[in-house]
Amino acid sequence: MSHTDSVTAAVSLDALLRDQARERRRDPATLLAAFTTQATQHAEAVAVRDGAVELSYGELAERVDALAAVLADHGVGPETTVAVSLPRSIELVVAVHAVITAGGAFVLLDPDAPADRQQRTIDLATPVLLLATPGVPHPSGVAVLGTDATDVPPADLPGPGADNPAYLVVDVEAAAAVVIGHRAAQANSVWRQRLCGIGTDDSVLWHAPLTGQAAVGEMLLALQTGAALVVPTSPVLATAIAETRVTTACFDPSELAELAALPDAEERLDSLRVVLGCGSLPAKTAAALRFVSGATLWHVYGRPETAGEVLAHEVTGADLEVVPIGTAADDVELLVLDEHLCPVADGEVGELYVSGVQLARGYLGRQATAATFLANPIGPVDDRMFATGDLVRRRPPVDGWAAELEYVGRVDDRTDPYATAPRQGGLPGELLLDEFEAQAAATPFDPAVVYAPGEHATSIITYGDLDRRTNQLARHLLALGIGPESTVLVAVPRSIELVVATYAVLKAGGAVVPVGSTVLPPVADPALVLTLSEHAAVYDIPAVRVDQVRLSDYSDEPITRADRRAPLLAQHPAFVLFPPGATQGITVSHAAAVHRVTAMQGRHSFTGRDVYLHQASGEVTEWHGYLLPLRVGATVVLTEPPDPGRLTELVAAHGITAADFTPQRLAAFTDHVYRNALRARVTSLRSVVVLGAPLSAADVRAFGTISDARLHHDYGRAEATVTLTYPAVPPTDSGETPAVRVREWNRRVYVLGADLRPTDPGVPGELYLAGTQLARGYLDHPIPTSGRFVANPFGIPGERMFRTGELARWEVDGTTAALVRLGDLMKPPVAVPNTARAASMRARIGAGIGARVAELARRHAVPPFAVVRAAMTVVLAWQAGAAVAGATTLSEILCAEPDPVISSATAATSESCAGPHGPITLSYLDSGSFPVPALELTPLRFDGPAADGVHFIVSAHPDPDGHLGLEIEYRTDRVDDHTAATLLRRFSRALGLLTADPDAPSHTLDLRTPAERTQ
C-alpha cells in the first residue's frame, strides 16, 4: 500500500466524499487548491515546525477550516482583505490559510513594528477585519477578531477564484499596496517548486521580515509543495540553520556573506540543499557561499508586482565577475526596452519590463497602476507589462542556452538615460583596490601593516594613513605617465614603504614588477623604478625615490576612473613576475590576481581579527601576503626571515593567527617549538601557508604535534597557483608527499595522459591547472606562451590550461578525490606496486532500454549518462542497505542532480565515487562502437595491472532494438567472478526497473539476483 493509499484509508467515507466534493469546487489556479491537495495527500507530513512543536498538514487543515468558518461568519469572502497581526508562529500560518480558505486576501502586519507603521499599513490596505492576539494593542479603524474565536460550526465555503486577490504587500514608504491575485501567486509557486525541486522531505526556513514579499514567498514555497515551514529557533541565522537542519532557505547578499565568512560555515550549513539568493548578488559572495556549502545556489530576481521571483540563474564556478539574474520563469516574458519602448540590442542597457500570467493585479486605489502596468506594445490585445524601473542588459545566448540578463542599476540612478555603460568594463579591474579602500573607510584607525625588524623599532601604519599615502603616491605616478599596461619595478626593501609602493602602482593602473631576491633579465624593461634613497638600485631607467616624493603636493582623495589615463580593465596586468632563472616575465592580470586572493580568502576565512605574519621567502608568488589580509581588515606583520626562537616570540607577542613559511623554515620552527615545549606560546595560529616545495608526510605529522593550525600549500608556479590542503593526520610516510585536498571554486586540476584524457585513480599523468587565475602568458614571448598555455578540452571555447610539467595521480578516499604529486615529468614516477590481474564481464540489456534512456534524458533535459548514473546511485544505496538520500524516484533523482559533470554534452563521460569494493567508476560511451555480445559472463583476463576498484562501462548500441551494452572491469584480488556477475546483474536490473517506471519509489525496487530470490 502506498503512502497515499494508507492516508486515504484512515479517513471516513463521509469525510472522503466531502473532501472530494470540496476538491471539485476548488479552482485549480488558486493557492487554496494546492494547499488542499497537500493536506489530503500528505496529511501526516509535517507542515509547520516551531521549536519542538510540530503541526501536520492534516492538523493544519482542521484548524484552518475552523477559523475560516469564523471569518466567513464575519463577512470575509472574495474581494475582501483581512489584516493579520501575529508573531511568526503556527498561529500565523493558520490565520493566513484561514483567510484564503474563506476566500479573502491577507496582508501581514508585524506586531513588533511601531504603532504608526502598523496604522499606515491598515490605512493603505483597508482591511475589513484584523486578526490579532487577544489583549494586544492594535491599530484603530478596523474590527478586531481574536485567533481563539473558533466556536462557529463548520461552513461549506466556496473559496476564492483564480482572479480574486490572494494577498497584499504594503510598502509604507512608497504609500503603495500591491494586490497579488491567486492566478499569479499560484503560477509563481508552481514555477518555484519546479526550479527548486523540493517536496515532502524538505524544510524551508521562515525568517524574512514579516511585512515583505519574501516572508510570503517562504511560506508558499513550503506549504504549496508539501515541505515543512520552519520557524527559526534563534535570532542568529547560522544558529537557526544548524539547529533546525532546514534544507531550503532564502537570503539576501549581506546574509550570504555573513554566513559564508563563519569559521565553521561548512558544519553549520551542512543541511542546506537549495539556497535562493535575492537582491544584487556579488560574484565573490556567491563564490564564498559555494565554497562552504554544497547547496544549489540560485540567484533570483522579483518584485511584489511580479508575484515574487520571475528570473533565476543557477550560480556556478563560471560566474567569476558578474552573477546574472538569469532567465524568465514559466509563462513570463521579459522585455528590455529603451525610453521609446523599443527593444534594445543584446549587450545594450535598457529598462526591464515583465509580462505574463505572474503579474500582480496592480496597486490598491492608486493611479500608479496605469503608470507602471502598461499595455504591452508587442503582445496580444489586453496584455500588460510591468515597468520595473531596473536597468539590465541581455547577454548573447551561449551554446544553445537562453540569453540571460545582468542587473546594471535603477532608472532613478542613471545620469544618461539608457547609456551603454562603458564605465562598467572598468569595474573588475578595480576589484583588487575597491575592498581595501572600503576597509580603509570603515576602519581608518585600525592597524593595517606592522613592520617588526629584528634590531630596529617596530613601526605601524593604519588603514586610513596607508590609503591616503598610496593615493598621493599614485597621483605622482600618474603625473609621470604610469597607467594600464605600464610596468613599474618596485625595488624597495621589506618595509611599510614597500606596501605603499605596491598599492600606489596598482591604484595608478600600472603593473608591479617585484624585485625579490632575483636579478631581473634585460627583457623586463619597466617604465620606471620605485626605490628608497639609501637603497642603491642599479638600473638604467628613471627612478622615483619614494621617501623623497613631496606627497603633500598631491590630494589624498581616492583615485577615480577619470584620474587614470585609460580605464583599468580586468585583463590589464597587475603583476609581471620573474621567477629565479626566468628569461621572460609572467604577466598576471587583475582578474587572475583577484581570483587568487578570493579563493585563498574562501580557504582561510580571514576577518578583521586576524594577524598575518608575512616573511620574506624569495617566492615570486608571495605578493598575496600584501593584498589578501588588507581586503578584510586583518593586520599584516612584516618581518625579515627570523630565527625560530624570535619567530616563536613574534607569534606570541602579536597574536599571529596566520603565517607563511618555506618548508625549511617550517621544519626549523616545528623543531624549536617541540624541543623547548613552547606549544602554549603559539596557540593563536590557526592557518599556515607553505610556499615552494611540498611538505613530506613526516613534516605534516610533526607540525601537528605543536599546533592545531591547518596546513595549506600554495602549489604552482607564477603561471598558475592552486591552494592544496594537507590532511590533518597524514598516512605513514611512504616517500611520497601526502595526498592533498583540492577544493577551490575558481580552479580546476587535471591529471592527464599523453592523449590528454583523464587518468584513472591511481594512474600517474601530467598535472594541468585551469581557471581564471591563469597568467596571461609570458611577456612578449608568444611561442613559449602557446607551448605551456594550451587549449582546455574540458572547458568552454577559448579556455586555456597550464602544463605544469609535473607528474601526479589521484587517490580516492571514500567520496573524496585527493592529489598526490610525484615530481617532475622528466623524472621517473614513483613506482606504484599493483600485481593484481584485470578481469572483465560483458552483457547486453533488454530491447528498448536504450530508447527509454534517451526519452528520459530528453524529458528531464539531462544527458543519457545522468539516467545511467541514477541507476548506479540506486545500486550503491541498495548495497549499503539505505534509501537514496533526498530522492525516492528516478525523476526526483534527475531533478535534484547538481553535478556540472552531468550536464556535459560529450559523447564519452566518466565519473568515480566510493563503492563497497573500492572506487566505482562509471563510463558512458555514446558512440555505439563498443562490441557487445548477447550475454557473456565469462571472465576475461588481461596481462597488465588493473586500476583499483570496479569499472562499469555502458555503451549505447545503435541497433534497431535499442539495446545497451554493459561491461564490468575489476581487479581479481578485490572482486571475485561471482561478485562481479552479481554486481553486473544488479546494475542491469536497476537500469531496467528505473526506466520502465521512472515514478516508482526506488526503495521498492527488488535488485536481488535470481539465486538470492530463491533463498
Side-chain angles (χ1 to χ4, degrees):
M1 180 179 289
S2 70
H3 177 67
T4 303
D5 291 338
S6 65
V7 173
T8 303
V11 298
S12 68
L13 179 60
D14 290 342
L16 178 61
L17 293 175
R18 182 172 65 252
D19 285 344
Q20 289 176 341
R22 291 182 62 188
E23 180 65 25
R24 282 196 297 270
R25 290 198 298 270
R26 300 298 186 212
D27 190 323
T30 63
L31 297 176
L32 181 58
F35 172 71
T36 303
T37 299
Q38 298 300 335
T40 303
Q41 297 183 356
H42 305 290
E44 297 174 351
V46 175
V48 191
R49 183 184 306 125
D50 188 351
V53 181
E54 293 182 345
L55 198 69
S56 70
Y57 272 91
E59 294 166 336
L60 175 60
E62 289 180 5
R63 292 182 57 177
V64 164
D65 286 345
L67 183 56
V70 176
L71 294 175
D73 192 54
H74 283 73
V76 175
E79 300 297 327
T80 63
T81 300
V82 176
V84 182
S85 180
L86 295 170
R88 197 186 313 266
S89 59
I90 288 177
E91 287 70 25
L92 177 55
V93 177
V94 172
V96 164
H97 284 79
V99 173
I100 294 175
T101 303
F106 65 88
V107 59
L108 297 180
L109 275 67
D110 185 352
D112 295 327
D116 64 331
R117 190 175 186 88
Q118 295 189 50
Q119 187 64 57
R120 290 169 66 190
T121 302
I122 291 292
D123 294 341
L124 288 166
T126 63
V128 298
L129 195 66
L130 172 65
L131 274 175
T133 304
V136 175
H138 52 76
S140 61
V142 61
V144 180
L145 180 68
T147 54
D148 55 349
T150 57
D151 55 351
V152 175
D156 190 10
L157 303 174
D163 295 319
N164 292 136
Y167 62 94
L168 279 66
V169 176
V170 173
D171 185 340
V172 172
E173 283 73 21
V178 183
V179 183
I180 293 96
H182 275 274
R183 190 187 308 277
Q186 190 265 349
N188 183 259
S189 294
V190 170
W191 172 70
R192 291 202 303 163
Q193 180 183 19
R194 185 181 66 79
L195 182 77
C196 300
I198 67 172
T200 54
D201 293 330
D202 288 290
S203 51
V204 180
L205 187 66
W206 193 23
H207 75 102
L210 284 179
T211 55
Q213 169 81 48
V216 178
E218 290 170 344
M219 180 169 54
L220 297 181
L221 182 61
L223 299 178
Q224 291 285 296
T225 61
L229 183 67
V230 179
V231 178
T233 55
S234 167
V236 179
L237 197 53
T239 303
I241 296 169
E243 290 179 350
T244 59
R245 303 293 295 169
V246 291
T247 66
T248 309
C250 311
F251 304 114
D252 62 34
S254 62
E255 291 169 335
L256 284 173
E258 179 182 351
L259 291 171
L262 293 171
D264 56 349
E266 291 190 57
E267 179 181 354
R268 286 179 177 243
L269 307 181
D270 179 64
S271 63
L272 289 176
R273 191 176 65 82
V274 177
V275 171
L276 301 180
C278 311
S280 183
L281 180 61
K284 63 180 181 181
T285 301
L289 191 280
R290 291 182 69 248
F291 178 78
V292 299
S293 172
T296 300
L297 175 59
W298 292 97
H299 187 203
V300 294
Y301 168 95
R303 301 275 296 277
E305 293 88 346
T306 61
E309 295 88 4
V310 288
L311 288 96
H313 165 80
E314 183 177 0
V315 182
T316 70
D319 299 316
L320 302 178
E321 296 174 358
V322 177
V323 181
I325 54 177
T327 53
D330 300 338
D331 299 321
V332 167
E333 183 180 10
L334 306 177
L335 302 94
V336 184
L337 308 178
D338 63 15
E339 64 269 34
H340 304 296
L341 297 186
C342 295
V344 302
D346 288 352
E348 293 187 4
V349 174
E351 184 176 356
L352 174 62
Y353 292 78
V354 180
S355 177
V357 70
Q358 294 191 28
L359 287 191
R361 296 207 326 184
Y363 301 102
L364 185 64
R366 290 187 79 217
Q367 294 181 349
T369 297
T372 54
F373 288 84
L374 311 174
N376 185 350
I378 58 176
V381 177
D382 296 332
D383 188 34
R384 301 179 305 151
M385 63 181 186
F386 169 64
T388 66
D390 289 322
L391 295 176
V392 298
R393 68 160 61 88
R394 192 186 303 274
R395 290 179 167 184
V398 178
D399 295 335
W401 293 95
E404 294 191 302
L405 296 185
E406 290 181 3
Y407 176 81
V408 174
R410 289 287 297 169
V411 171
D412 300 338
D413 300 332
R414 67 190 179 207
T415 56
D416 179 18
Y418 301 98
T420 57
R423 59 206 173 275
Q424 297 294 327
L427 291 178
E430 297 175 5
L431 289 177
L432 267 178
L433 309 170
D434 287 344
E435 289 184 323
F436 163 69
E437 292 174 344
Q439 190 63 50
T443 58
F445 304 110
D446 286 0
V449 182
V450 176
Y451 179 47
E455 64 282 1
H456 301 292
T458 297
S459 53
I460 301 174
I461 188 169
T462 65
Y463 270 92
D465 288 340
L466 179 59
D467 189 37
R468 286 187 287 271
R469 285 180 59 183
T470 53
N471 289 336
Q472 292 171 321
L473 183 55
R475 282 191 164 85
H476 181 69
L477 297 178
L478 287 166
L480 296 175
I482 298 302
E485 299 293 342
S486 301
T487 55
V488 178
L489 182 62
V490 179
V492 179
R494 178 170 293 251
S495 60
I496 288 176
E497 286 72 21
L498 173 59
V499 182
V500 171
T502 299
Y503 272 88
V505 175
L506 293 173
K507 285 187 174 186
V512 176
V513 184
V515 172
S517 59
T518 64
V519 177
L520 294 183
V523 296
D525 193 27
L528 56 82
V529 58
L530 289 181
T531 185
L532 297 180
S533 299
E534 71 274 10
H535 184 59
V538 183
Y539 299 101
D540 189 20
I541 52 176
V544 173
R545 289 171 173 78
V546 177
D547 52 345
Q548 292 185 356
V549 176
R550 289 171 53 99
L551 296 180
S552 59
D553 291 346
Y554 298 95
S555 169
D556 62 5
E557 291 298 311
I559 304 294
T560 66
R561 279 171 251 170
D563 292 324
R564 297 191 183 96
R565 294 167 41 214
L568 178 59
L569 303 180
Q571 64 266 29
H572 282 142
F575 295 89
V576 178
L577 308 175
F578 289 85
T583 58
Q584 63 258 337
I586 298 162
T587 305
V588 179
S589 68
H590 274 265
V594 166
H595 282 276
R596 181 182 177 194
V597 294
T598 301
M600 291 188 70
Q601 171 62 14
R603 175 72 67 181
H604 299 285
S605 301
F606 291 138
T607 69
R609 298 185 298 273
D610 281 293
V611 183
Y612 189 99
L613 180 65
H614 190 25
Q615 312 172 59
S617 67
E619 292 289 329
V620 294
T621 57
E622 69 176 20
W623 52 263
H624 72 269
Y626 307 116
L627 302 181
L628 172 58
L630 299 182
R631 301 170 78 210
V632 295
T635 300
V636 177
V637 177
L638 298 179
T639 182
E640 297 302 326
D643 61 76
R646 182 168 176 272
L647 181 57
T648 304
E649 293 309 309
L650 279 173
V651 172
H654 292 279
I656 302 296
T657 62
D660 48 42
F661 289 86
T662 61
Q664 296 79 10
R665 287 184 202 147
L666 184 67
F669 172 74
T670 299
D671 184 68
H672 174 79
V673 174
Y674 179 78
R675 288 179 180 275
N676 296 279
L678 298 175
R679 179 184 174 103
R681 301 283 290 167
V682 299
T683 53
S684 60
L685 277 175
R686 70 173 184 85
S687 192
V688 167
V689 180
V690 181
L691 306 171
L695 297 177
S696 68
D699 290 334
V700 177
R701 287 198 305 274
F703 180 77
T705 64
I706 63 106
S707 176
D708 294 328
R710 197 63 192 266
L711 275 174
H712 307 280
H713 181 225
D714 263 15
Y715 160 70
R717 313 238 302 254
E719 294 92 339
T721 304
V722 62
T723 301
L724 311 175
T725 300
Y726 287 101
V729 182
T732 304
D733 196 349
S734 62
E736 296 180 349
T737 61
V740 286
R741 289 284 307 277
V742 182
R743 185 187 175 198
E744 291 187 352
W745 61 272
N746 59 358
R747 221 75 42 78
R748 289 179 297 284
V749 178
Y750 305 108
V751 179
L752 307 179
D755 57 356
L756 292 185
R757 292 184 177 274
T759 61
D760 289 331
V763 179
E766 186 173 359
L767 185 62
Y768 289 77
L769 305 179
T772 311
Q773 277 197 47
L774 262 63
R776 289 200 328 190
Y778 299 109
L779 185 65
D780 298 327
H781 282 72
I783 294 178
T785 296
S786 61
R788 298 306 290 262
F789 293 86
V790 298
N792 183 359
F794 314 102
I796 61 176
E799 186 176 353
R800 303 171 306 151
M801 60 183 183
F802 173 67
R803 298 186 62 184
T804 67
E806 184 176 335
L807 280 173
R809 73 165 186 265
W810 289 112
E811 283 189 354
V812 177
D813 179 14
T815 59
T816 301
L819 188 72
V820 179
R821 294 170 59 192
L822 303 174
D824 293 339
L825 192 61
M826 300 305 295
K827 299 177 181 178
V830 176
V832 181
N834 185 354
T835 58
R837 303 284 293 246
S840 171
M841 289 184 184
R842 297 176 181 175
R844 185 171 63 172
I845 181 171
I849 289 288
R852 292 206 299 266
V853 168
E855 172 57 30
L856 286 168
R858 285 192 296 270
R859 182 192 306 177
H860 293 280
V862 295
F865 175 64
V867 181
V868 173
R869 192 179 104 158
M872 180 57 64
T873 302
V874 172
V875 170
L876 293 178
W878 198 88
Q879 289 284 120
V884 181
T888 58
T889 69
L890 174 64
S891 299
E892 290 169 332
I893 295 173
L894 296 180
C895 288
E897 192 54 80
D899 197 325
V901 173
I902 296 305
S903 7
S904 168
T906 55
T909 312
S910 184
E911 184 177 314
S912 295
C913 63
H917 304 284
I920 291 285
T921 302
L922 178 63
S923 295
Y924 182 86
L925 309 178
D926 209 4
S927 63
S929 59
F930 184 68
V932 184
L935 184 64
E936 186 177 321
L937 295 182
T938 303
L940 306 178
R941 303 289 186 224
F942 303 96
D943 292 333
D948 197 14
V950 175
H951 187 180
F952 286 88
I953 301 173
V954 180
S955 174
H957 202 62
D959 65 20
D961 295 326
H963 292 90
L964 283 182
L966 305 183
E967 181 178 11
I968 181 172
E969 294 181 351
Y970 52 95
R971 280 175 52 156
T972 55
D973 65 332
R974 297 291 300 271
V975 178
D976 59 28
D977 297 342
H978 173 74
T979 302
T982 300
L983 288 173
L984 189 60
R985 288 191 179 104
R986 280 183 180 147
F987 177 59
S988 62
R989 183 167 177 78
L991 190 57
L993 291 172
L994 282 175
T995 56
D997 186 2
D999 295 320
S1002 60
H1003 67 272
T1004 65
L1005 304 182
D1006 186 358
L1007 304 187
R1008 291 176 298 172
T1009 63
E1012 290 172 330
R1013 287 196 293 273
T1014 59
Q1015 292 176 353

